[in-house]
Amino acid sequence: MASDLPMSPHLEQIHGEIRDHFRALANGFQRLDKIKDSNRQSKQLEELADKMRECKRLVKEFDRELKDGEARNSPEVNKQLNDEKQSMIKELNSYVALRKTYLNTLGNKKIELFDTGAGVSGEPTAEENIQMASSMSNQELVDAGMKRMDETDQAIERSKQVVHQTLEVGTQTASTLKGQTDQMGRVVNDLDTIQFSIKKASQLVKEIGRQVATDKCIMAFLFLIVCGVIAIIVVKIVNPNNKDIRDIPGLAPPAQSRKLLYFRE
């Protein structure tokens, strides 16, 4: 039973209004059989057409509300509600076909063909409606409506498959990009490590260079001192009587010659 389906309050209200219009249509067509005057029949058919238009609007609203609540319902509930929607569309199509029969009986060829995919596809033009209705029987109209609904369901399924494939491609692309981003992060970290190592090596080379330069300066200074000392010693040995050159502390003065010692004696 459709009343046993879990529906939101707004969806249940729309469903109840559609069912009320269907009951009014059924009663209207029953009363139409009792009317003999053609003018009154035409007027009654116009009133029924208004109710059908309202039914069509409510079915579209039902479809929109159903799509908005798909995420909140389970797949089984969505399937049952979609089946109920298709049932209402078929019932509406049956009233459209019945109205066409009465219009043909009255000799009125200007009929309105309601959209068999209510809430799914756009409304056809009045000229297309007249051409289609004038070339199709009642059963053909019902069959065409069912065929259109099947095609619409197939199109929806294909759209869902495309969306699912698109989501899969998007997920794979995101995973690939994440992997590449991680790899680039590792490369940047390696480059930072290499740059830090190069800086440390440069600082170490500079430090070694400063130490080597300091050692060379010290060695050169010591070499000059040693050379000076040696030069003074050599001069003292060669010319011991030179008073301009001071004795080197810790170095014994040169011994006097034997002639000088003998003369004193």
Side-chain angles (χ1 to χ4, degrees), residues 250-262:
L251 184 66
Q256 295 182 353
S257 63
R258 289 182 179 182
K259 289 182 179 181
L260 182 59
L261 291 174
Y262 179 75

Side-chain angles (χ1 to χ4, degrees), residues 97-166:
L98 186 59
R99 178 175 177 270
K100 176 181 177 292
T101 302
Y102 281 100
L103 287 174
N104 287 335
T105 302
L106 295 173
N108 188 354
K109 299 299 182 182
K110 295 181 179 180
I111 63 172
E112 297 174 2
L113 179 65
F114 284 85
D115 185 13
T116 56
V120 179
S121 60
E123 296 183 1
T125 62
E127 184 178 355
E128 291 176 348
N129 288 338
I130 294 172
Q131 291 177 356
M132 291 175 62
S134 61
S135 61
M136 298 172 67
S137 64
N138 296 336
Q139 185 61 37
E140 288 176 343
L141 286 172
V142 175
D143 294 339
M146 296 180 65
K147 181 180 179 181
R148 180 72 63 83
M149 286 185 292
D150 292 338
E151 291 175 353
T152 303
D153 291 339
Q154 293 175 3
I156 292 174
E157 290 298 327
R158 288 193 297 268
S159 300
K160 289 181 179 179
Q161 293 177 1
V162 171
V163 171
H164 182 69
Q165 293 173 358
T166 304

Side-chain angles (χ1 to χ4, degrees), residues 7 11 16 54 74 80 82 85-86 89 95 106 109 117 120 134 140 145 183 188 202 222:
M7 300 182 188
L11 193 64
E54 182 63 18
S74 63
Q80 293 176 357
N82 279 310
K85 179 193 72 174
Q86 297 297 333
I89 292 174
Y95 288 123
L106 295 173
K109 299 299 182 182
V120 179
S134 61
E140 288 176 343
Q183 186 176 2
V188 171
S202 177
L222 292 175

